[in-house]
Amino acid sequence: MREDKPKILVVLGSTATGKSDLAVRLALKYNGEVISADSRQVYKGMDLGTGKITREEMRGVPHHMLDIVSPKLVYNVSKYKIQAQKIITDILKQGKLPIICGGTGFYIDAVVNNTTLPEVLPNKKLREKLDKKNCEQLIKILEKLDVNTAKKIDPKNKRRIIRAIEIATELGNVPVIKNESLYDAIQIGLIAPDKILKDRIKTRLLKRIEMGMIAESKKLHKQGLSWKRMENLGLEYRYMARYLNGQITLDQMIEQLNAKIWQYARRQKTWFKRNKKIQWYEIDPKINQKIINNLKGKI
């Protein structure tokens, strides 16, 4: 790393690994502010369904990139990169430590690696046509346009596959330009054995349901968020929409959603494992203090 690059800290990992709590503790220790890297926590009103950190859990640490856009609108990685980098600059000007925290690897990579994606305008007619197809069919379409992108993309993320097809249709492929990184980034990854992570995911899901996650979805729908849009927002909101629509029972919703969150956690793990710069820590009751101690003198 070049010495003149500003230092930032990144806390990443699969869902339910305790990233938010660690980021807060690091911010308190090293005079930092947290920048969320979650593709759905940017949306207003989507709190319990996305596992958004609460004011109490923030413990006075400023958090950015939460609740910045209506869920009726579509947000993307290009917008995230521009806003996040501006926030990082502002935090650095205050003499504080920017801490990126989240599980959306695509968003983290865009900021940390300074990647640039093409600005292709949405194609409404194409999107409506593609939306009628399932993920497997969409991947086959993408393979014909850009086989390399098809191999790398999350095969279960319908919205992202459609966007890739949209770009490839316009440009012939999905070009990703890697510029020189703007930061000296220390990347901390949290990981857990499968059984422990499965248990944490199930416990966390049931707790969020108990806290009112379904009522949150009802409220969003009453405020004008369509069932179709909730389907496109994925995971929790997709299955809550199906439950509220009467397509599945409550027990089926919990069972199917729990399985899908676990699958998503595995895909997150696969994405992050490609990055050899991440320092991995297996979660345990003392891990946060160990990480804090290991960072002394480095940031």
Side-chain angles (χ1 to χ4, degrees):
M1 287 288 182
R2 282 168 39 188
E3 290 297 326
D4 57 344
K5 287 186 179 180
K7 285 187 181 292
I8 66 170
L9 189 59
V10 183
V11 180
L12 53 83
S14 299
T15 188
T17 50
K19 300 181 295 293
S20 296
D21 179 65
L22 174 59
V24 167
R25 292 189 61 176
L26 288 166
L28 290 170
K29 176 68 176 180
Y30 294 108
N31 189 28
E33 296 190 8
V34 177
I35 303 154
S36 171
D38 187 295
S39 63
R40 296 185 307 155
Q41 290 187 3
V42 296
Y43 294 115
K44 299 174 183 177
M46 292 172 52
D47 302 330
L48 291 169
T50 62
K52 198 176 292 178
I53 189 171
T54 66
R55 286 288 173 191
E56 184 180 3
E57 291 167 339
M58 289 179 188
R59 296 167 65 186
V61 172
H63 279 63
H64 306 271
M65 299 304 284
L66 298 171
D67 303 315
I68 61 172
V69 66
S70 166
K72 297 177 186 178
L73 303 176
V74 177
Y75 193 79
N76 61 42
V77 66
S78 298
K79 294 177 182 177
Y80 176 83
K81 179 189 173 189
I82 292 169
Q83 290 181 266
Q85 289 185 336
K86 182 181 182 303
I87 291 167
I88 288 172
T89 299
D90 291 342
I91 294 172
L92 289 167
K93 284 180 179 178
Q94 298 174 54
K96 302 177 78 174
L97 175 68
I99 303 174
I100 297 174
C101 175
T104 304
F106 199 38
Y107 280 29
I108 294 171
D109 287 354
V111 175
V112 174
N113 300 327
N114 198 24
T115 54
T116 303
L117 296 172
E119 287 291 342
V120 173
L121 294 174
N123 185 329
K124 186 176 180 181
K125 288 185 177 179
L126 178 61
R127 287 188 177 189
E128 289 176 350
K129 179 181 176 182
L130 295 173
D131 197 46
K132 297 174 183 177
K133 301 182 182 296
N134 60 38
C135 288
E136 187 176 344
Q137 292 169 324
L138 291 171
I139 286 291
K140 289 181 180 179
I141 294 172
L142 183 57
E143 285 175 343
K144 293 178 181 179
L145 294 166
D146 187 338
V147 67
N148 290 327
T149 298
K151 289 178 180 178
K152 297 175 184 176
I153 204 164
D154 181 349
K156 300 295 183 181
N157 192 323
K158 188 175 184 179
R159 180 173 58 86
R160 203 159 283 166
I161 301 169
I162 289 176
R163 178 58 178 161
I165 293 173
E166 191 174 50
I167 294 171
T169 301
E170 179 75 18
L171 302 178
N173 63 1
V174 185
V176 177
I177 303 169
K178 289 190 176 183
N179 305 298
E180 183 181 356
S181 177
L182 302 176
Y183 314 111
D184 179 356
I186 298 175
Q187 301 181 62
I188 301 297
L190 297 180
I191 196 168
D194 287 354
K195 186 181 185 307
I196 292 176
L197 190 56
K198 279 183 178 180
D199 290 342
R200 289 172 71 110
I201 287 171
K202 181 69 176 288
T203 300
R204 188 167 177 253
L205 173 59
L206 294 176
K207 181 180 178 181
R208 286 187 289 162
I209 291 173
E210 183 181 336
M211 291 172 66
M213 190 171 79
I214 296 172
E216 176 181 277
S217 289
K218 285 182 181 178
K219 182 179 178 181
L220 287 167
H221 183 60
K222 285 181 180 179
Q223 291 174 341
L225 192 64
S226 68
W227 297 127
K228 182 178 179 181
R229 177 61 178 149
M230 288 175 72
E231 281 272 346
N232 290 337
L233 287 166
L235 282 178
E236 291 86 352
Y237 295 96
R238 175 177 298 151
Y239 288 91
M240 284 190 289
R242 293 176 184 179
Y243 165 63
L244 294 172
N245 261 328
Q247 298 176 38
I248 56 177
T249 66
L250 178 60
D251 287 343
Q252 287 173 330
M253 185 201 80
I254 294 172
E255 181 182 356
Q256 293 174 22
L257 183 50
N258 184 59
K260 290 297 181 180
I261 295 174
W262 166 240
Q263 290 173 14
Y264 174 63
R266 291 178 64 188
R267 293 198 300 273
Q268 287 177 300
K269 184 177 177 181
T270 299
W271 178 284
F272 290 129
K273 279 294 186 181
R274 300 178 308 167
N275 185 348
K276 304 304 180 185
K277 296 179 180 179
I278 298 172
Q279 303 170 37
W280 289 103
Y281 292 85
E282 189 168 306
I283 60 173
D284 64 54
K286 299 179 181 178
I287 190 60
N288 284 359
Q289 191 57 51
K290 179 180 178 181
I291 294 170
I292 290 170
N293 293 339
N294 286 352
L295 286 172
K296 286 180 180 178
K298 298 178 181 179
I299 55 178

